[in-house]
Amino acid sequence: DQQVKQNSPSLSVQEGRISILNCDYTNSMFDYFLWYKKYPAEGPTFLISISSIKDKNEDGRFTVFLNKSAKHLSLHIVPSQPGDSAVYFCAATRGSNYKLTFGKGTLLTVNP
Amino acid sequence: EPEVTQTPSHQVTQMGQEVILRCVPISNHLYFYWYRQILGQKVEFLVSFYNNEISEKSEIFDDQFSVERPDGSNFTLKIRSTKLEDSAMYFCASSLDTEAFFGQGTRLTVV
């Protein structure tokens, strides 16, 4: 039961260009969405989040867009840097329990 | 910067043995979680803990599993009789609300 889907297992971009990571969800009860970054042999690191009442949230080089009608969100990284190379997980939560439902992740490679 | 710490970083155990994975959440956080990631698969929720009791658990979290917060700082996951398929990275996390902070993980290998 894939409630959160990341359909691209990998993405490769050039340094300085924009990286766009996509995520779709099926559960309309989700009310908060998060992006995590994960390096090998480390735990997920929180990156940025967005409430379902917003359609955009920006933090430095990172912007998350939410399209509720399409049940779609995306993470934009601009400009991309080689240090951004990692697996990016989309996650969603609902209600006050705060349990996270993760997508399978997208491996981003930023080439110098 | 406060962080979630997990010990050990790697645990190898014989099938059928009990293991205890330990975590020290961020001190002022209220919600505590265990997640796991089997190699090549996604991060899966196991259990959440709030106000000294389990608030939600997944289908994976069967009678073999238990959690405890024995004192004000530690949060443990016990697997009573490990199976080969329990081999995974286990992540502890804590939060004040929606944004959970994860530890580095414990790699559990059941042989």
Side-chain angles (χ1 to χ4, degrees):
Chain A
D1 176 24
Q2 276 198 74
Q3 297 187 66
V4 178
K5 301 177 191 179
Q6 293 177 257
N7 292 319
S8 297
S10 63
L11 174 68
S12 184
V13 299
Q14 286 297 120
E15 181 178 4
R17 305 296 290 268
I18 186 170
S19 296
I20 300 176
L21 299 124
N22 293 303
C23 177
D24 298 291
Y25 62 96
T26 58
N27 189 340
S28 57
M29 299 297 290
F30 286 139
D31 56 10
Y32 207 84
F33 303 90
L34 306 91
W35 284 94
Y36 283 83
K37 178 166 100 169
K38 187 180 180 303
Y39 294 115
E42 293 187 12
T45 302
F46 170 73
L47 207 51
I48 192 169
S49 61
I50 188 166
S51 163
S52 60
I53 62 172
K54 296 187 175 181
D55 55 18
K56 178 181 173 181
N57 187 28
E58 192 171 350
D59 183 3
R61 296 186 297 116
F62 303 92
T63 303
V64 56
F65 295 92
L66 175 62
N67 182 334
K68 276 185 68 176
S69 61
K71 294 193 178 69
H72 176 83
L73 61 154
S74 60
L75 174 68
H76 293 213
I77 307 173
V78 58
S80 301
Q81 299 173 353
D84 296 329
S85 298
V87 177
Y88 287 78
F89 290 99
C90 173
T93 185
R94 67 181 184 97
S96 59
N97 182 299
Y98 308 132
K99 154 196 155 184
L100 294 171
T101 301
F102 282 88
K104 288 187 174 180
T106 297
L107 173 63
L108 173 67
T109 304
V110 181
N111 301 301
Chain B
E1 186 174 318
E3 60 180 16
V4 177
T5 57
Q6 290 185 243
T7 54
S9 56
H10 193 183
Q11 174 89 47
V12 181
T13 189
Q14 295 270 351
M15 193 169 56
Q17 294 296 304
E18 175 182 288
V19 293
I20 298 176
L21 309 183
R22 302 180 192 279
C23 170
V24 179
I26 295 173
S27 60
N28 63 333
H29 283 185
L30 302 174
Y31 298 85
F32 313 106
Y33 316 85
W34 284 99
Y35 290 82
R36 78 174 184 189
Q37 186 181 29
I38 294 171
L39 188 63
Q41 298 186 24
K42 65 178 180 178
V43 178
E44 301 175 288
F45 169 79
L46 292 178
V47 65
S48 57
F49 194 85
Y50 171 73
N51 203 23
N52 288 321
E53 61 183 19
I54 291 174
S55 49
E56 187 170 346
K57 58 185 180 179
S58 71
E59 292 175 354
I60 304 166
F61 195 88
D62 60 22
D63 291 343
Q64 272 208 117
F65 292 87
S66 62
V67 288
E68 256 193 339
R69 189 157 161 79
D71 52 42
S73 59
N74 292 287
F75 181 50
T76 62
L77 174 69
K78 182 192 288 187
I79 309 175
R80 285 189 189 77
S81 178
T82 50
K83 300 179 285 202
L84 294 175
E85 53 264 38
D86 293 329
S87 296
M89 282 291 290
Y90 287 80
F91 295 106
C92 174
S94 68
S95 72
L96 275 174
D97 44 49
T98 48
E99 294 160 7
F101 293 83
F102 285 77
Q104 298 279 73
T106 294
R107 179 171 296 285
L108 177 65
T109 304
V110 183
V111 297

